[in-house]
């Protein structure tokens, strides 16, 4: 039908625009966070893109769920506001007639959300944790960025390299400051490269440079010129951490019947289920009362979305702590909002206010 085709077209265009806005907001927030971490020296700048990719995959199911909810809400609200709903209602299309086209639009995305939540998100979480462990296990030289002073983990050395060659093997204009046996040593060299000994020890070999050594706050300093000088690069010792429930696969969580695994598995299932409930709830929520202003239903919808997700988080915490039975799980929250959906459909179908009057004058 004409109204279904026009509705689907507008839902798709609104969803694409809304998703791009949400994606831009989230990616800007994550980029600012990782740049702040890198500025403190806790993260190499070349690792930002990889961590950002894993992070966006983790947020993708929630972004798609919110996109569906807002697309249905904003589209139908515009139709109410521009009196297009009046035309369709006059032609015999009731409020329940919007369920099928909305589900036609939303169900493929909900299936995608379920796939991302159950399989892609734990994979991205696991790979992100492994990548962080790899960053921690890199030695001091591997984490140096050109043009930036880098302090060693033991805080006994400071490195500075002006530039690398194209392959990253040869460094130019090196500065190394170290403190050993209460003596300050400063090494400057024009060139250097990385070498690995037979016992797999890594060395920074510098060529054509000088070494200044002396006691701080005294005039006792010695200057030594050299053609070749090697500094051993200390390897990083990182204790491997066991994967948490968020990084484990859904099959492993299903086979393990611990409170944490049950809570995490039900949370992954809750994301697509809540997306299904929310797009149905958006149909009666989209009604615009001219006396309440254009943004009244949007504020109510966002409030419902926040309460829905917060209740799911609270129930998940209780389930992980063993305060709830896995049979109960997060289902009471879904049941409550599904009953709220039926209630709002009933009130809108008979042109009744959302809250009934408790007394009459």
């Amino acid at each position: 039908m004409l109204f279904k085709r026009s509705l689907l077209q507008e839902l798709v265009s609104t969803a694409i625009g809304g998703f791009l806005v949400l994606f831009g907001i989230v990616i800007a927030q994550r980029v600012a966070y990782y740049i702040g971490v890198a500025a403190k020296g806790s993260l190499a700048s070349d690792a930002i893109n990889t961590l950002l990719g894993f992070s966006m995959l983790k947020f993708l199911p929630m972004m798609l769920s919110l996109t569906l909810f807002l697309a249905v809400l904003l589209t139908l609200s515009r139709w109410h506001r521009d009196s297009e709903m009046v035309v369709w209602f006059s032609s015999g299309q009731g409020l329940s007639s919007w369920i099928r086209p909305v589900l036609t639009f939303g169900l493929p995305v909900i299936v995608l959300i379920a796939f991302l939540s159950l399989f892609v998100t734990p994979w991205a979480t696991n790979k992100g944790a492994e990548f962080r462990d790899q960053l921690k296990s890199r030695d001091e030289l591997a984490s140096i960025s050109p043009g930036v002073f880098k302090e060693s983990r033991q805080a006994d050395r400071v490195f500075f390299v002006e530039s690398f060659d194209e392959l990253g093997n040869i460094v130019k204009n090196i500065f190394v400051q170290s403190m050993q046996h209460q003596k300050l040593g400063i090494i400057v060299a024009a060139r250097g490269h990385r070498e690995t000994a037979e016992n797999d020890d890594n060395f920074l070999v510098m060529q054509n440079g000088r070494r200044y050594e002396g006691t701080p706050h005294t005039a006792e300093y010695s200057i030594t010129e050299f053609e070749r000088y090697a500094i051993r690069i200390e390897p990083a010792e990182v204790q491997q951490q066991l994967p948490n429930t968020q990084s484990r696969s859904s099959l492993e969580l299903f086979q393990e019947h611990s409170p944490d695994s049950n809570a995490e598995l039900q949370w992954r299932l809750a994301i697509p289920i809540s997306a299904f409930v929310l797009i149905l709830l958006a149909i009666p929520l989209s009604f615009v009362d001219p006396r309440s202003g254009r943004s009244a239903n949007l504020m109510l919808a966002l409030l419902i979305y926040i309460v829905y997700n917060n209740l799911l988080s609270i129930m998940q915490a209780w389930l992980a702590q063993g305060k709830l039975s896995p049979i109960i799980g997060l289902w009471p929250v879904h049941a409550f909002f599904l009953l709220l959906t039926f209630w709002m459909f009933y009130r809108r179908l008979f042109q009744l206010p959302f809250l009934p009057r408790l007394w009459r004058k």
Side-chain angles (χ1 to χ4, degrees):
M1 293 179 64
L2 176 62
F3 94 98
K4 292 182 180 179
R5 185 168 61 251
S6 59
L7 175 63
L8 288 175
Q9 291 176 353
E10 189 163 349
L11 283 174
V12 171
S13 60
T14 305
I16 293 174
F19 177 77
L20 293 177
V21 172
L22 290 176
F23 188 84
I25 293 174
V26 175
I27 200 171
Q29 188 273 332
R30 300 311 296 174
V31 167
Y33 169 75
Y34 285 124
I35 289 178
V37 175
K40 296 178 182 178
S42 302
L43 178 66
S45 58
D46 57 351
I48 293 179
N49 291 335
T50 303
L51 289 177
L52 182 62
F54 289 136
S55 179
M56 295 307 296
L57 285 176
K58 290 170 56 179
F59 287 105
L60 195 54
M62 297 298 296
M63 287 191 294
L64 288 175
S65 176
L66 183 57
T67 298
L68 279 181
F69 182 48
L70 291 178
V72 176
L73 180 72
L74 294 177
T75 300
L76 297 185
S77 294
R78 189 196 69 78
W79 284 36
H80 276 289
R81 188 172 59 251
D82 296 344
S83 301
E84 293 186 27
M85 280 292 190
V86 177
V87 177
W88 297 116
F89 288 157
S90 301
S91 62
Q93 299 295 333
L95 189 63
S96 58
S97 302
W98 303 96
I99 297 178
R100 186 172 181 178
V102 165
L103 290 181
T104 303
F105 159 73
L107 283 179
V109 184
I110 292 174
V111 173
L112 177 61
I113 292 173
F115 175 75
L116 292 172
S117 178
L118 291 172
F119 303 104
V120 177
T121 296
W123 174 84
T125 305
N126 184 39
K127 292 300 180 181
E130 290 180 356
F131 185 71
R132 289 188 184 90
D133 290 338
Q134 293 177 4
L135 292 177
K136 294 178 182 178
S137 64
R138 297 198 306 181
D139 56 39
E140 298 168 344
L141 188 60
S143 60
I144 294 177
S145 299
V148 178
F149 286 92
K150 176 68 177 180
E151 188 178 29
S152 65
R153 294 183 177 89
Q154 291 78 19
D156 58 349
R157 288 178 182 172
V158 177
F159 297 90
F160 178 85
V161 174
E162 183 178 9
S163 63
F164 292 91
D165 68 343
E166 295 181 356
L167 299 178
N169 297 323
I170 299 177
V171 294
K172 299 178 180 179
N173 295 332
I174 311 161
F175 170 89
V176 181
Q177 176 183 297
S178 62
M179 179 66 71
Q180 294 179 345
H181 308 294
Q182 297 181 351
K183 287 190 176 182
L184 178 65
I186 297 176
I187 304 172
V188 292
R191 293 171 62 86
H193 63 276
R194 187 188 187 104
E195 269 190 18
T196 303
E198 296 180 356
N199 59 353
D200 292 333
D201 285 346
N202 292 314
F203 292 88
L204 174 61
V205 179
M206 292 172 284
Q207 301 169 342
N208 302 325
R210 293 182 180 182
R211 174 180 172 84
Y212 304 87
E213 185 178 25
T215 304
H217 309 294
T218 65
E220 299 178 2
Y221 275 87
S222 62
I223 303 176
T224 305
E225 295 185 356
F226 58 84
E227 294 183 357
R228 177 185 171 90
Y229 190 95
I231 297 179
R232 183 174 180 270
I233 304 300
E234 296 291 337
E237 297 181 1
V238 179
Q239 184 178 2
Q240 296 292 332
Q241 298 180 354
L242 295 176
N244 55 19
T245 54
Q246 294 181 355
S247 60
R248 300 175 64 183
S249 67
S250 298
L251 181 60
E252 292 177 351
L253 296 179
F254 181 77
Q255 294 173 348
E256 182 183 348
H257 300 288
S258 66
D260 288 338
S261 60
N262 289 328
E264 178 63 25
L265 185 59
Q266 293 207 29
W267 171 259
R268 295 178 188 178
L269 291 171
I271 297 177
I273 294 175
S274 63
F276 174 79
V277 175
L278 285 171
I279 61 171
L280 292 179
L281 184 58
I283 297 175
L285 270 178
S286 61
F287 174 77
V288 177
D289 187 354
R291 293 173 297 178
S292 300
R294 295 187 174 185
S295 60
N297 64 330
L298 180 60
M299 298 297 293
L300 178 61
L302 292 178
L303 178 62
I304 290 176
Y305 179 84
I306 294 172
V307 172
Y308 197 168
N309 282 275
N310 286 342
L311 287 177
L312 288 175
S313 300
I314 293 173
M315 297 288 281
Q316 182 198 15
W318 288 351
L319 185 58
Q321 295 169 6
K323 297 180 179 180
L324 285 179
S325 170
I327 299 177
I328 299 176
L330 308 181
W331 298 109
V333 182
H334 299 305
F336 171 78
F337 281 92
L338 192 59
L339 289 175
L340 178 63
T341 302
F342 291 146
W343 168 260
M344 294 194 66
F345 264 103
Y346 169 77
R347 305 298 293 183
R348 296 303 186 205
L349 186 62
F350 292 97
Q351 300 295 319
L352 299 174
F354 174 60
L355 294 176
R357 295 181 180 179
L358 299 180
W359 63 86
R360 295 178 180 270
K361 293 185 178 180

